[in-house]
Amino acid sequence: MRTELSKYKNSKRYKSKIRQDLFFKSIFQLSALLSSMMIVIIIVFILVKGLQPFIAGYQYGTRNFFEFLVGLVYRQDQGIYGVGFIVVNTLISGFGALLISFPLAVLTALFIAKIAPKRLADAMQTVVELLASIPSVVYGVFAAGSITVMVKNLGAMLSIQTAGGSSLLAVMLLLAIMIYPTITSLAITSIQAVPEDIQHASLALGATTTQTNFKVVLTSAKSGIFAGAILGLGRAFGEATAVSMVAGNKLFGPTFNLFDITRTLTSTILTGLKETTGVDYDIRFSAGIVLMIVILISNLSINLLKNRIGSQK
Amino acid sequence: MKKSLAIVAVLIAVLLTGCTPKEVKTTGNISVYTRDASSGTRTAFFEFISVVEATPLTASAIEVTSAADMATKVSADENGIGYTNMEIAAANPSLLALSYNGVAASETNVLNGTYKLARPFNLVTRATGTFSSPEQEQIVLAFVDFLMNSTEGQEVVTSKGGIVEAGKDTAWDTLKAKYPLLAGDVSTYTIKTGGSTSVDSSVKAALEAFQALTGVKFEMNHTGSSDGFKRTLGADKDSVNAVDVGFASRAFKAEETVALGIVSGAYCVDAIVVVVNAKNTVLTDATTEMIHNIYTGVTKTWDELAK
């Protein structure tokens, strides 16, 4: 037996198999390395470019980092770059969208995964997936053409004048629609993954189906649902094209009035990017750093929130 | 249940369709629309209406992302005012193009110089014998001829929003006979251009069209109108920054002696139009002072203008 094995191990066939394995292993390693290198390259590049305006000796005049971070005015024409209010605006519009979208998405997911008859559930899931695949510029065109009109008319009914509907409310509604499929899809997957046993246990203890759905299914699926919320929020913060079509790009802030125009970090980075040079170009990388930090912090805080919801029960 | 559904349906219908259209007087706050600070149109427009550092743009202005976006936003806002190029203003029926200081914004008025919200795009070449070689001189002159006098060249300029005089429509095939070099391979030559940044898009399009027809390469280094003269005939004409053709998005000044160049003159005129929503009942004409006051935030409501 042993000799058979060692014979095989010395055979050409075995050696070529080992070589093949090694070859593929190194290919996988290389691609993993390459993709992780990308992240490092991007972060380093943005850090270097974005911190440049705040380092002494910057060719277009060094900026004060603190003033940049807490500034309440952003005017290229006067050379004033403050993103403090833009961060607040970004947070308001992102979390506002999440506030509208999250309950709707979770309830839809519960309906599709647990309540709806199979055919209806399949059809609705397809609809959600379709929504997720619509490109953001199409959402933008839709928002600029119809959400703004709705907001404008709503404003007119309340006798509030809006800038043709471009407003914080329009941004929130647009983002709510855009992040809805992301949250719903993830919530559906995680609700479907809840083991039948614990549902049966709950029902056997005398809980109604609704009680079971809310108190057992949703709490067991919370990890996936919150992952969806985090992804959705990431999309809301990161969406640039569609948002800049309805935001109105206010020069100062922050904006708390739903019917007033606003300015988000992404729309600030995008607007006029292709036609500009000098500090106005470099400062967009600084805004990019701020955006990455904002997303990081909000993801961490949602994770904290998730852990707290679990442990209270 | 049915009742509440009906109420929701009615509400949505009202929101979507809005109030019934009727002749409403324009009133309330003026929504001031502007291009973002990197726009050349904005720079030119603000120069015309003297929105400068001492009297800056009102902080409540709404920034739009492009000339087309400007048209969309102002046509959706009865209280809006903005500025764009003549082509876009004319193409959109829900925009009203205002006359400026009493002169209607039309191509005729732009070309005869009465419409003042316009600026010429001028060019000047180096003087005879100062090119790197006589062949280079011929190639550059061929391009200038293409840009200023050929059907193809003028079409390219028009497509970038420039307004050109009628009658400059000799086919390039006829014009190119004057330049014997073009019959051979000229892909080793490079035309260098410089000067105004506003001319960027139309000059680039023209150079690309010229390259497609002849194979001549180009190098653009546009830094501002004052460099147009300086780098062809002025102080920098022999420096490393020297160019073959210089551009200025304004009339050449008296001290810029462009007559020394082989060719000088305007290849098109760029016009800006102040637009309001077609439903606007207050304005049909814009004066420099009025627009200055609106854009600096002195005039805030339509009611102030209606008086």
Side-chain angles (χ1 to χ4, degrees):
Chain A
M1 192 63 195
R2 182 169 285 171
T3 47
E4 285 285 299
L5 193 66
S6 62
K7 227 190 222 169
Y8 175 65
K9 277 196 165 174
N10 284 323
S11 73
K12 264 188 180 163
R13 199 158 148 241
Y14 176 74
K15 279 183 179 158
S16 89
K17 274 189 175 177
I18 290 291
R19 262 203 304 278
Q20 236 175 37
D21 254 11
L22 263 175
F23 173 70
F24 279 109
K25 190 180 158 197
S26 51
I27 282 192
F28 293 143
Q29 253 174 1
L30 197 73
S31 51
L33 194 73
L34 220 84
S35 50
S36 47
M37 276 297 286
M38 269 306 158
I39 295 181
V40 176
I41 290 173
I42 290 172
I43 290 181
V44 168
F45 178 76
I46 290 183
L47 274 180
V48 168
K49 268 289 225 187
L51 290 178
Q52 217 175 302
F54 310 110
I55 294 166
Y58 177 62
Q59 54 177 325
Y60 304 107
T62 311
R63 309 276 151 170
N64 183 328
F65 186 65
F66 185 70
E67 278 171 15
F68 169 74
L69 266 192
V70 300
L72 298 182
V73 176
Y74 191 96
R75 294 190 61 152
Q76 292 115 310
D77 53 345
Q78 297 179 349
I80 305 172
Y81 300 93
V83 295
F85 78 99
I86 310 180
V87 171
V88 178
N89 286 352
T90 307
L91 287 172
I92 292 176
S93 60
F95 277 102
L98 190 67
L99 211 65
I100 302 171
S101 199
F102 187 72
L104 271 176
V106 173
L107 292 181
T108 313
L110 195 62
F111 178 72
I112 292 177
K114 288 288 162 209
I115 301 163
K118 179 132 190 351
R119 255 197 215 161
L120 183 63
D122 284 349
M124 293 219 21
Q125 195 157 2
T126 316
V127 170
V128 171
E129 279 157 13
L130 274 178
L131 271 178
S133 64
I134 295 175
S136 54
V137 66
V138 177
Y139 275 114
V141 173
F142 165 73
S146 72
I147 293 183
T148 49
V149 177
M150 277 168 63
V151 171
K152 185 177 153 189
N153 291 335
L154 184 67
M157 274 161 64
L158 304 169
S159 21
I160 301 168
Q161 188 190 328
T162 57
S166 297
S167 58
L168 174 60
L169 182 62
V171 173
M172 275 187 194
L173 288 174
L174 162 73
L175 288 176
I177 299 173
M178 289 185 78
I179 66 177
Y180 165 81
T182 315
I183 306 176
T184 313
S185 324
L186 265 122
I188 291 175
T189 319
S190 55
I191 289 174
Q192 279 166 344
V194 175
E196 292 271 309
D197 300 0
I198 60 169
Q199 292 169 57
H200 290 160
S202 162
L203 291 170
L205 283 171
T208 65
T209 319
T210 311
Q211 281 171 330
T212 309
N213 280 341
F214 277 101
K215 296 201 168 155
V216 176
V217 176
L218 281 189
T219 44
S220 314
K222 75 170 170 138
S223 186
I225 293 173
F226 275 91
I230 287 175
L231 273 181
L233 199 63
R235 185 168 191 193
F237 285 152
E239 180 48 48
T241 322
V243 168
S244 58
M245 289 165 97
V246 295
N249 283 331
K250 204 171 183 183
L251 300 173
F252 64 101
T255 304
F256 297 110
N257 182 349
L258 283 177
F259 290 95
D260 198 1
I261 55 171
T262 182
R263 174 191 279 270
T264 68
L265 281 168
T266 46
S267 66
T268 304
I269 296 173
L270 184 69
T271 310
L273 174 68
K274 279 181 275 180
E275 295 179 31
T276 193
T277 51
V279 65
D280 185 39
Y281 184 77
D282 292 339
I283 208 86
R284 289 157 202 257
F285 289 89
S286 321
I289 300 176
V290 174
L291 179 59
M292 288 197 297
I293 295 172
V294 166
I295 292 181
L296 203 70
I297 292 178
S298 26
N299 284 1
L300 286 178
S301 46
I302 289 193
N303 261 325
L304 276 179
L305 186 76
K306 180 185 84 184
N307 293 340
R308 287 198 52 160
I309 285 187
S311 53
Q312 276 170 350
K313 292 276 145 80
Chain B
M1 185 67 182
K2 260 188 188 161
K3 204 172 167 190
S4 63
L5 270 181
I7 290 172
V8 169
V10 166
L11 207 70
I12 289 173
V14 167
L15 284 179
L16 280 173
T17 52
C19 316
T20 43
K22 57 177 183 241
E23 194 62 30
V24 223
K25 260 182 71 184
T26 308
T27 176
N29 295 330
I30 304 176
S31 316
V32 178
Y33 288 87
T34 178
R35 296 281 303 278
D36 63 272
S38 57
S39 154
T41 313
R42 163 166 160 163
T43 315
F45 180 64
F46 282 5
E47 236 166 68
F48 281 125
I49 61 167
S50 51
V51 172
V52 287
E53 264 191 273
T55 48
L57 171 71
T58 167
S60 55
I62 303 152
E63 273 186 7
V64 300
T65 51
S66 66
D69 193 27
M70 175 72 84
T72 319
K73 292 278 159 65
V74 177
S75 57
D77 187 352
E78 287 86 354
N79 294 299
I81 187 166
Y83 53 91
T84 183
N85 65 45
M86 195 169 277
E87 211 179 355
I88 287 182
N92 199 321
S94 21
L95 288 182
L96 176 68
L98 300 182
S99 57
Y100 186 65
N101 293 335
V103 182
S106 70
E107 283 197 17
T108 329
N109 288 343
V110 170
L111 289 173
N112 68 23
T114 48
Y115 183 77
K116 293 296 182 197
L117 219 48
R119 51 186 179 153
F121 281 177
N122 275 310
L123 65 78
V124 62
T125 67
R126 299 176 72 83
T128 321
T130 63
F131 288 88
S132 55
S133 67
E135 290 80 14
Q136 176 75 14
E137 184 174 317
Q138 191 180 127
I139 299 287
V140 171
L141 290 182
F143 168 67
V144 170
D145 206 6
F146 169 79
L147 176 62
M148 297 178 86
N149 300 316
S150 76
T151 321
E152 289 87 345
Q154 295 273 292
E155 252 170 31
V156 169
V157 172
T158 314
S159 75
K160 292 291 168 190
I163 295 166
V164 297
E165 273 176 61
K168 288 184 167 181
D169 47 2
T170 322
W172 173 239
D173 278 334
T174 324
L175 283 178
K176 78 175 176 194
K178 284 192 271 175
Y179 309 97
L181 265 181
L182 292 179
D185 178 24
V186 287
S187 59
T188 49
Y189 295 97
T190 303
I191 300 175
K192 288 185 180 176
T193 67
S196 159
T197 52
S198 306
V199 305
D200 245 17
S201 66
S202 60
V203 170
K204 182 156 179 267
L207 281 165
E208 280 167 356
F210 191 66
Q211 187 176 35
L213 288 169
T214 61
V216 175
K217 295 192 179 65
F218 60 87
E219 201 179 294
M220 298 177 68
N221 181 19
H222 290 233
T223 43
S225 285
S226 55
D227 285 333
F229 171 79
K230 213 190 271 175
R231 294 183 175 179
T232 47
L233 300 161
D236 287 348
K237 65 178 177 184
D238 297 319
S239 73
V240 284
N241 290 325
V243 294
D244 297 316
V245 191
F247 291 88
S249 50
R250 54 165 167 74
F252 284 114
K253 293 173 188 161
E255 66 266 28
E256 296 179 331
T257 47
V258 289
L260 293 172
I262 304 175
V263 184
S264 71
Y267 70 92
C268 77
V269 185
D270 179 48
I272 300 166
V273 184
V274 181
V275 289
V276 291
N277 191 286
K279 290 194 189 123
N280 191 298
T281 55
V282 178
L283 287 185
T284 52
D285 180 63
T287 64
T288 316
E289 194 197 347
M290 178 200 294
I291 301 301
H292 172 85
N293 285 343
I294 292 176
Y295 271 86
T296 49
V298 176
T299 310
K300 286 189 163 60
T301 65
W302 288 110
D303 309 284
E304 289 170 57
L305 289 172
K307 271 177 223 161

